[in-house]
């Protein structure tokens, strides 16, 4: 094991064991390196790596702290990594969304408030019947984010946020090249919303599956 990897594992062990908790300040570099049997250089590299993935927060002139370890914070790194996808792997991201998002939509059916439903309805009404593709894609992202947030599962919400990025370009591409894509997307959004208002979890799950699968099917035929 490389010395930096060893240092990362030792700091990870301290956090997992509870020796370091969210918000805790790490001991001074010299002390921590001695306690862990590491060189200061390898410890420094480990801290730099863990700060990049939001495990540690290096505050200039103040010290290094364990972050909140909130799922949304930690999974931000996922969004960064998946931006480096190849076009042919968009299908794989869509396949994962097709598994997770319908489940989140079904969960939202029993938890979403009337105020949240009204806000989603207003969002669709404001968009109108003939939006630009860019406006439609932006609304699509916010529409699904609002529903997934209502599932009450922060990990699921963060995962889907991270996975939505790679599919944005595919949705724009689809809107520009497939004549009925905009109208179909609007119909599917309304159907999902109607199922949520009815508190029909299985109908909401089914419409969410259809919605994602239609993009996936179209993209598969073009690659």
């Amino acid at each position: 094991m490389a010395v930096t990897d060893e240092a990362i594992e030792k700091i990870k062990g301290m956090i997992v064991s509870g020796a370091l908790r969210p918000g805790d300040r790490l001991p001074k570099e010299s002390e921590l390196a001695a306690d862990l049997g590491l060189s200061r250089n390898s410890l420094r590299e480990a801290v730099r790596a863990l700060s990049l993935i939001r495990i540690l927060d290096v505050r200039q002139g103040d010290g290094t702290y364990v972050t909140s370890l909130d799922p949304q914070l930690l999974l931000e790194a996922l969004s960064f990594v998946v931006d480096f996808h190849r076009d042919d792997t968009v299908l794989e991201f869509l396949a994962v969304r097709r598994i997770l998002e319908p489940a989140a939509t079904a969960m939202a059916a029993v938890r979403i408030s009337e105020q949240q439903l009204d806000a989603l309805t207003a969002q669709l009404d404001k968009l109108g019947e003939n939006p630009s593709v860019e406006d439609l894609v932006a609304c699509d992202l916010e529409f699904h984010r609002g529903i997934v947030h209502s599932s009450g599962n922060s990990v699921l919400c963060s995962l889907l946020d991270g996975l939505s990025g790679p599919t944005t370009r595919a949705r724009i591409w689809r809107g520009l090249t497939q004549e009925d894509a905009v109208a179909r997307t609007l119909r599917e959004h309304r159907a999902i919303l109607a199922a949520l208002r009815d508190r029909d979890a299985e109908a909401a799950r089914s419409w969410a599956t259809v919605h994602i699968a239609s993009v996936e099917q179209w993209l598969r035929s073009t690659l």
Side-chain angles (χ1 to χ4, degrees):
M1 182 183 294
V3 289
T4 301
D5 292 339
E6 181 185 2
I8 289 171
E9 285 299 316
K10 287 187 174 182
I11 296 173
K12 174 185 171 183
M14 293 178 71
I15 295 171
V16 171
S17 70
L20 286 173
R21 297 182 179 277
D24 281 356
R25 181 177 177 175
L26 270 63
K28 290 182 179 179
E29 185 182 89
S30 57
E31 295 174 7
L32 185 58
D35 288 345
L36 297 179
L38 300 167
S39 71
R40 293 178 69 172
N41 279 340
S42 62
L43 177 61
R44 202 171 294 131
E45 288 299 319
V47 167
R48 185 176 293 115
L50 290 170
S51 67
L52 287 173
I53 58 173
R54 306 299 185 91
I55 302 295
L56 297 178
D57 179 19
V58 180
R59 303 176 190 174
Q60 198 67 32
D62 186 19
T64 299
Y65 293 79
V66 180
T67 67
S68 65
L69 303 180
D70 180 81
Q72 186 169 359
L73 180 68
L74 298 181
L75 288 168
E76 281 181 9
L78 172 65
S79 180
F80 178 78
V81 170
V82 297
D83 280 340
F84 291 94
H85 73 287
R86 303 186 312 271
D87 285 348
D88 59 335
T89 59
V90 174
L91 282 169
E92 296 182 12
F93 290 118
L94 281 169
V96 175
R97 272 193 66 206
R98 183 158 46 84
I99 294 168
L100 297 179
E101 195 161 304
T105 305
M107 292 166 65
V110 296
R111 299 177 64 101
I112 194 167
S113 69
E114 290 297 324
Q115 290 83 359
Q116 288 169 312
L117 287 168
D118 290 343
L120 291 172
T121 300
Q123 185 184 60
L124 294 182
D125 290 343
K126 182 180 178 182
L127 189 65
E129 296 301 317
N130 295 293
S132 68
V133 175
E134 290 77 11
D135 286 346
L136 178 66
V137 170
C139 177
D140 186 55
L141 286 168
E142 289 305 312
F143 180 79
H144 292 291
R145 184 178 289 121
I147 293 172
V148 172
H149 181 74
S150 297
S151 72
N153 188 311
S154 61
V155 174
L156 192 53
C157 191
S158 298
L159 276 172
L160 284 165
D161 256 355
L163 290 168
S164 291
T167 65
T168 301
R169 182 165 49 164
R171 284 198 293 266
I172 292 175
W173 186 19
R174 177 176 181 244
L176 291 172
T177 59
Q178 190 174 345
E179 290 183 2
D180 67 338
V182 171
R184 182 187 301 175
T185 298
L186 292 172
R187 288 195 302 270
E188 289 166 355
H189 280 180
R190 295 285 184 186
I192 292 169
L193 192 52
L196 291 173
R197 280 202 181 276
D198 290 341
R199 307 294 174 180
D200 189 334
E202 288 311 308
R205 184 197 306 273
S206 297
W207 276 113
T209 302
V210 167
H211 183 55
I212 299 166
S214 67
V215 179
E216 187 180 357
Q217 183 180 33
W218 171 82
L219 185 58
R220 192 181 302 279
S221 70
T222 64
L223 291 178

